[in-house]
Amino acid sequence: MAKQDRAVRTRQELICSAAEIFDRRGFMSASLADISTGAGVSTGALNFHFSSKKELGETVQAAAEEGLRYITTTCTEARPSPLQTLIDATHVLATQLGENVVLRAGLGLDNDAAWHDGAELWLKWRSWVRGMLTIAEYEGNLAAGVQPDDACSIVMATVMGIESLGRKDAALYSRRVVTRFWKMVLPSLASQESRAKLDAGGSEVVARWDEHTRAGDGVAGPLTVARCGTRVDER
């Protein structure tokens, strides 16, 4: 059992190391030697777990996809209004982009010119965002004349901008930035009746997430891979 546990830990450390290097240097410049060194194992040990750098990239994206799904599912299961669900999910995603290198690297690979046949995580996120906005439209939560596709484009542009620019300024990965965005957007996006019930700063779902994250009790589930560190400040 101890040997099996050690193999699991080694695999997790390799995923973390690969994510950190993909995130800092991009897929093309990442080397298997540097990834194994970052994980504190030999290149032979890396080859035992992963046959290629491409397989490592696919594994990082698979972990990021699981994390993204966890965010949307957790926020949806709380059953607030669709717009509040969307607000909450953007808050969690923004802070996780700053805290979880696997999630950040997985999304980053989608926009990496050297990466092909990826998981298209941003398209999956866009599909979920549009779904929430479509439900909001059906329930009469959107302001008159607002189309889900148009609103989705604005949300996507903002979140992807936070992900990209946050690599240069980690302060963008914050609740404060997301709250300001929603305070500016909601008067044009939401109907007057629904707007009165929305919290641009996030509902109790986000507050509970923050509390559990600080406590380190594992509530983030698949968002943590062996407690991967984050190195935003090293970029």
Side-chain angles (χ1 to χ4, degrees), residues 50-184:
F50 300 98
S51 61
S52 64
K53 186 169 68 169
K54 184 176 188 295
E55 185 182 355
L56 265 168
E58 291 169 346
T59 304
V60 167
Q61 279 215 310
E65 181 175 2
E66 188 179 4
L68 193 61
R69 188 184 306 114
Y70 189 80
I71 291 173
T72 56
T73 299
T74 300
C75 293
T76 303
E77 286 178 345
R79 299 189 181 280
S81 69
L83 285 181
Q84 188 64 61
T85 298
L86 181 55
I87 292 169
D88 292 346
T90 55
H91 274 287
V92 175
L93 178 57
T95 55
Q96 283 297 312
L97 283 171
E99 296 170 4
N100 191 284
V101 69
V102 173
L103 180 65
R104 192 170 63 245
L107 287 165
L109 282 173
D110 264 0
N111 295 324
D112 191 322
W115 179 248
H116 305 288
D117 302 320
E120 297 185 327
L121 299 185
W122 282 119
L123 292 181
K124 292 174 182 179
W125 166 254
R126 184 180 70 180
S127 178
W128 182 83
V129 169
R130 193 188 185 287
M132 288 296 103
L133 290 164
T134 299
I135 296 172
E137 179 188 40
Y138 176 79
E139 295 183 355
N141 298 152
L142 298 185
V146 173
Q147 298 297 316
D149 282 340
D150 295 337
C152 181
S153 295
I154 293 172
V155 174
M156 286 300 298
T158 300
V159 174
M160 293 183 76
I162 289 173
E163 183 268 338
S164 179
L165 295 174
R167 296 168 184 276
K168 300 296 183 182
D169 181 4
L172 292 174
Y173 297 137
S174 71
R175 297 272 308 279
R176 175 179 55 82
V177 170
V178 177
T179 299
R180 287 179 176 177
F181 163 71
W182 284 113
K183 282 184 175 180
M184 288 189 294

Side-chain angles (χ1 to χ4, degrees), residues 18-31 33-35 112 167 235:
E20 290 170 354
I21 293 175
F22 292 156
D23 188 50
R24 293 202 310 274
R25 303 181 190 172
F27 185 75
M28 179 68 75
S29 298
S31 71
D34 287 340
I35 291 171
D112 191 322
R167 296 168 184 276
R235 294 191 191 88

